[in-house]
Amino acid sequence: RAPRASLPLCRAPRHRHGEALDRARRSRDLRLAPPLARRQTQSPDASDLYLRGLNFQNQRTPATNRRAIEYYTRATEVDPNYALAWSAIARVLASGLINGDASPVEVLPRAREAAARAVRAGPETAEAQFALAYLKWCCEWDWPGAEAGFRQALTLDPRFAQAHLTLGHALSQMG
């Protein structure tokens, strides 16, 4: 029989910032965004697969990008309408083209299809609009179309840092 540990429960003192946060959460004016992976799916499995893919994508190597695509693809198999996973597939495939990790003939049609699926699954999702704009920017060299898409993504989510960054890159290339 395993020994048991018993710890007394204590109440942590409330700090000012904790009280302010509680008041803010109760406020009608404040709308807290749901966690990233849960915004588009009700499936915990799809959400978990998406987050695992994001972990590999952030390592930014050809091998980890392939692993990211595997996880994102599995997430879309669990939830075919998971716009975040579809948009992530499009972005990873497109970044492989930029880095010279993949053949445009093989990858570009898949990236376009993933971006289109993202937009169909979540047309009001900033990430889906961003994925479409990202392809226009880095693969099709459609600068005005990319700018419009990045701005649309930012209209949907003004806090979307990657859209701000990539819009800046696109604008600097346009002169």
Side-chain angles (χ1 to χ4, degrees):
R1 186 171 171 167
R4 288 186 179 183
S6 178
L7 300 173
L9 295 176
C10 65
R11 190 170 190 147
R14 293 185 60 85
H15 297 286
R16 272 192 209 169
H17 66 276
E19 291 170 1
L21 183 58
D22 288 343
R23 280 193 307 276
R25 284 186 179 144
R26 288 190 299 268
S27 169
R28 289 184 200 181
D29 297 332
L30 181 65
R31 303 217 191 320
L32 297 176
L36 176 66
R38 296 260 184 217
R39 286 192 304 196
Q40 294 296 314
T41 185
Q42 297 302 311
S43 167
D45 292 336
S47 176
D48 182 63
L49 291 164
Y50 173 82
L51 291 174
R52 290 175 189 273
L54 194 59
N55 174 56
F56 283 106
Q57 180 184 353
N58 287 335
Q59 295 175 41
R60 303 188 194 293
T61 69
T64 59
N65 282 346
R66 284 189 295 275
R67 292 285 305 274
I69 291 170
E70 289 171 17
Y71 278 105
Y72 292 143
T73 301
R74 288 173 50 200
T76 63
E77 290 166 356
V78 172
D79 182 351
N81 293 312
Y82 195 3
L84 288 178
W86 285 113
S87 64
I89 291 169
R91 285 192 327 269
V92 174
L93 289 170
S95 68
L97 293 174
I98 294 170
N99 299 331
D101 299 335
S103 163
V105 174
E106 295 173 18
V107 173
L108 193 53
R110 288 176 52 207
R112 284 184 179 134
E113 176 60 23
R117 298 274 310 253
V119 171
R120 280 195 305 270
E124 298 299 317
T125 305
E127 291 83 358
Q129 296 299 328
F130 177 83
L132 203 53
Y134 191 74
L135 283 173
K136 288 178 182 182
W137 172 60
C138 69
C139 299
E140 299 168 0
W141 293 16
D142 175 3
W143 311 121
E147 178 185 359
F150 292 138
R151 290 191 188 280
Q152 174 65 24
L154 289 168
T155 298
L156 294 169
D157 183 359
R159 299 169 298 166
F160 190 9
Q162 189 175 13
H164 282 285
L165 175 69
T166 313
L167 173 61
H169 288 307
L171 290 173
S172 71
Q173 290 172 336
M174 291 168 65

